[in-house]
Amino acid sequence: MTTDLQTNGSMKKKVVAIQNLNFQYRQKIILRDISFSVFPGEFVSIIGPNGCGKTTLIKTILRSVVPQTGTIHIQGQEVKTLSNKALARHLAVVMQTIDPAAMTVKDYVLLGRLPFFEPYQFFESQKDQAIAQRYMELTGVAHLAEARINEISGGERQLAAIARALTQEPALLVLDEPTAHLDITHQVRVLNLINTLKEQLSLTILMVLHDLNLAAEYSDRLVLLDKNNGRIYKAGTPEEVLTKASIQAVYQTGVEVRPNPISNKPWVFLINPHAQEGKSNAP
Amino acid sequence: MNHRLKRWGLILLVLSVLVVAVGLLALCTGSAGIPVNQIPDILQGGKNTAGYSILMGIRLPRILLGMGIGGALSLAGTLLQGMFRNPLVEPYTLGISGGASLGVCVNILCQFYAVIGIIAYPLSGFIGASLVIFLVYHLNRDNRNVRSNRMLLTGVMISYVASSLVMLLMALSKTDDLQSIVLWIMGSLDEPDTTLIWICCAGSIVGLFISYFFCMDLNALALGDEEAANLGINTPRTKKILFIIASFLTGLSVAVAGIIMFVGLIVPHFVRMITGPDHRILLAASFLSGAAFLTLCDVIARVIIAPLELPVGVITGIIGGVMFIWALSRKQVTL
């Protein structure tokens, strides 16, 4: 299925354009005929069941996985023609977890300036320092600047990772399940921050998310991957994608979908079959 | 930044002073004790005096070799621990010492030294080390990546195989050959060939110089291969070059001085406690600390049961090992 997310206006320059992407690992087809685009300022989330290829799709953009066929363009340039540093200047990545290295938060965030280092440059410039400081303040980790990464909490690490990614000053921020190991306070804090940064910095966001309700709440658009055939099952606004029928077809589990009473976004309720049986058997 | 640069400058200054102080101590210490204030007089006294021969002909070459090898092993350990993100890796983990030992054993048993001279020892050691480097690297690369954990395991296995083959050859060898093999394996800084000493010193400084082009890559690799790649680092290329530098430094050291354990494992850990994990200071600080540590251990090895000498590897193992256990127990060791 080919799905172009163009309702924001096809005249806008695409930040990401993926066309006819196919990837298989040994005999297993992971991604089949994937095509979609992301436009400036959009917040797009990739959702789908475990093993449907969400992270693989992200990795093809990052070039750590090479697709058999298809093209990926970032800001009009094909990713396979870009140098590693050039790619890192276009997009920055926040992974699920960051390794608890012994470096300080400040040194970690400053690593975001590496793609801008000249050959044989060993030290960050004053400008680099100022940029890192700005994003540490924006993400609320400036007070942890001298703390070591392995001494701060998982939530603080994710905020530091976002600060590091922003220090790359990318056009596209890619996040791979950034809330996977966080409690609900930090989940909301991280996603609120990303949403705020998107508005303040006109960032384009491409995120992999497991939690359908968080995806619906924060994303402008969703891309739902189908594990059964590796294709995009549906793409569009949360209201278009998160329907009872599409979720049941892709996840093969019973759900109810209602509007969130506060935001009016789709809200997915899981149905426990035993609870349902109990309810129907009740006198 | 200025504060950090000042701190780094101070660390390098202190370590440089330490290296010079240990060098002077090593010059003065030995079976013939020479007070430090007599050194200028002896040097001005002419080349034919006994004091001059001891200082310039025996002790200085040994000090230079100790500094070159200590620096090289420590630097190789820092590079490998940074690249593999594993605190247990040291230059000999990858089987390089095993390969070199096997090469030297074959040289002794086949008596190549009788054909091409004393150079056969370092040459056979270097060939053995190079073969292992080649084997470990090529068994563990696919089209895009150098597979770190597999590489480590292969190195450890090759080490075991080489050690077993060395023991087999020792069991089959004559008493004289056996003694030569054991002495070589224990490691010594007593190298008569000054050309080899200069090659070793120059090689280790060149290794340090080239390593500095990858100090920021090493900092990024501390976050893992994927994160480093996301920061624009060409991780397969960087790891390949770092592996070659570390192997070259280790091969050079083993070929000239035999197997000197622990320097490459312990010194980087201790230096990291002082400098932190930033490779911009860590590389030079490890080099200088390794140089001072091995030279100091050699002084102790020379004097502790004088007029006899202990193998320097015994001292590095005892001092380094005990200090490392102490640091671990105080939870001061970090990566």
Side-chain angles (χ1 to χ4, degrees), chain B residues 112-146:
Chain B
F112 292 136
Y113 60 88
V115 182
I116 60 170
I118 198 87
I119 192 77
Y121 284 87
L123 193 63
S124 57
F126 196 75
I127 290 170
S130 304
L131 286 175
V132 168
I133 292 162
F134 182 82
L135 197 64
V136 170
Y137 183 75
H138 281 276
L139 282 174
N140 290 286
R141 62 188 290 267
D142 53 26
N143 291 334
R144 291 172 58 83
N145 297 312
V146 177

Side-chain angles (χ1 to χ4, degrees), chain B residues 140-159:
Chain B
N140 290 286
R141 62 188 290 267
D142 53 26
N143 291 334
R144 291 172 58 83
N145 297 312
V146 177
R147 293 172 287 189
S148 303
N149 288 336
R150 283 179 58 125
M151 188 182 264
L152 277 179
L153 274 174
T154 311
V156 171
M157 289 306 127
I158 288 178
S159 243

